[in-house]
Amino acid sequence: MDRDNTGSVKRHDVYTGLLLIHLQIATFVGAAACKPVSRKVVYKIFDEIDNDKTGNLDIKEFTQLMVLLLSGVLTRIFVQYSLTILMVPLIARLIIRHYASDELIDSAFGAMNTDLPSFMKKIALFMSHLPQIFISLILSIVVVPIFLNNLDSFVVGVAEKTTDFTDSKKDE
């Protein structure tokens, strides 16, 4: 990110470098898992961390900035995968168990125990999983993005409060 080898990083270089880091991470975990923060937020945090107000960050300030910004990425990745892999199927199953009657569940699985041909049993098994698949899909499309947007807002707020806190400590 230090393109001119001065030992400091300029404001626009930080955002460009951050986007490149996000692109690299996205190749491994998917684009949705590592949504970058906005240029405005990066610049605001940059300005708060830039102690000497030169428009450049030294290595210590740069490290502080990257820890703040990339911790949000790691949190988002962890939360998205936890929700998608663990929580969405579990919640979908709980919804089905809560709202489906025992007779309906027994009849779906009872069809598999009859003398149906094997392909019909496979169709019956697939059909018995459709409600859970549908509910999981709805949760993944609607609930997970809402949760992640709230998480992004929270992480940006924490980053801004952290920079405010470190600035007030330096003033003392």
Side-chain angles (χ1 to χ4, degrees):
M1 285 190 216
D2 181 13
R3 293 190 293 182
D4 54 3
N5 294 322
T6 60
S8 62
V9 181
K10 293 178 179 48
R11 197 176 188 214
H12 64 275
D13 291 337
V14 168
Y15 188 70
T16 304
L18 185 65
L19 290 178
L20 290 173
I21 291 169
H22 280 275
L23 288 172
Q24 284 293 90
I25 294 171
T27 61
F28 297 105
V29 297
C34 62
K35 175 185 165 194
V37 294
S38 70
R39 180 185 305 254
K40 180 180 173 184
V41 170
V42 171
Y43 284 0
K44 181 177 180 187
I45 295 172
F46 180 99
D47 292 341
E48 291 177 10
I49 289 179
D50 184 16
N51 294 328
D52 52 5
K53 306 300 181 205
T54 60
N56 296 317
L57 297 182
D58 61 23
I59 188 70
K60 184 179 176 187
E61 294 167 333
F62 175 74
T63 302
Q64 182 183 5
L65 176 73
M66 295 313 282
V67 165
L68 283 171
L69 295 174
L70 293 178
S71 65
V73 174
L74 293 175
T75 303
R76 184 181 174 92
I77 291 169
F78 175 76
V79 168
Q80 179 171 353
Y81 280 110
S82 296
L83 286 173
T84 305
I85 294 171
L86 300 173
M87 297 306 295
V88 165
L90 178 65
I91 292 169
R93 183 172 293 267
L94 290 172
I95 290 170
I96 300 258
R97 293 282 179 205
H98 181 72
Y99 288 107
S101 66
D102 290 336
E103 297 86 30
L104 180 64
I105 294 171
D106 291 341
S107 68
F109 288 105
M112 289 179 276
N113 296 329
T114 63
D115 293 331
L116 292 173
S118 65
F119 77 93
M120 292 295 286
K121 287 181 182 179
K122 289 178 184 177
I123 291 173
L125 178 62
F126 174 75
M127 296 296 279
S128 69
H129 291 311
L130 275 180
Q132 183 175 350
I133 293 169
F134 182 72
I135 291 171
S136 294
L137 183 66
I138 297 292
L139 290 172
S140 297
I141 291 173
V142 176
V143 175
V144 171
I146 290 170
F147 191 85
L148 290 174
N149 284 335
N150 287 333
L151 176 69
D152 291 341
S153 299
F154 174 75
V155 168
V156 167
V158 167
E160 289 173 348
K161 286 179 184 176
T162 302
T163 56
D164 290 342
F165 177 74
T166 55
D167 286 346
S168 67
K169 284 286 194 187
K170 290 175 186 170
D171 292 341
E172 291 177 356

